[in-house]
Amino acid sequence: RWSDELRAILDCAPEHSPQLEMSLNWYPSPSREALSQALDAAFAHGTPFDLELQLVTILGRPLDVRVIGEAVRDDTQRVVRVQGALLDQTQQKC
């Protein structure tokens, strides 16, 4: 699920909620690889992450972002999803 705030940061229309695989394409290398590895570790082992990355929005606007994520487990402690937040830090980097 995407919040309205996240859609605004990423220049997405209100009805637009891309799948994870598509949204990874907004991150140039090496940010894409770092986020992909962090997500793999979160799904496989429940490892939380806190990364500073670069991305390019749907409209081509470059951003410096902080991506925080954590695993969500079911009653049997199996990881069922990863939840988190994306914070635009572009203004703080200037």
Side-chain angles (χ1 to χ4, degrees):
R1 293 178 289 174
W2 289 48
S3 69
D4 291 339
E5 293 84 10
L6 179 59
R7 285 185 190 91
I9 290 170
L10 298 175
D11 298 328
C12 292
E15 67 279 358
H16 191 72
S17 291
Q19 297 298 313
L20 177 62
E21 295 78 20
M22 182 197 310
S23 63
L24 283 174
N25 291 329
W26 299 335
Y27 294 87
S29 281
S31 290
R32 183 182 316 119
E33 288 82 12
L35 181 55
S36 183
Q37 289 174 0
L39 287 166
D40 288 347
F43 279 111
H45 309 290
T47 308
F49 57 89
D50 187 341
L51 305 169
E52 291 189 7
L53 305 170
Q54 288 77 45
L55 72 76
V56 179
T57 71
I58 289 174
L59 299 178
R61 195 167 49 96
L63 298 177
D64 292 306
V65 297
R66 181 175 176 196
V67 181
I68 303 164
E70 65 181 2
V72 176
R73 297 177 184 271
D74 65 12
D75 294 337
T76 65
Q77 295 305 304
R78 183 177 61 97
V79 175
V80 293
R81 73 177 197 275
V82 173
Q83 67 183 15
L86 182 141
L87 308 163
D88 181 358
Q89 297 186 312
T90 306
Q91 294 299 324
Q92 290 84 351
K93 296 278 182 167
C94 294

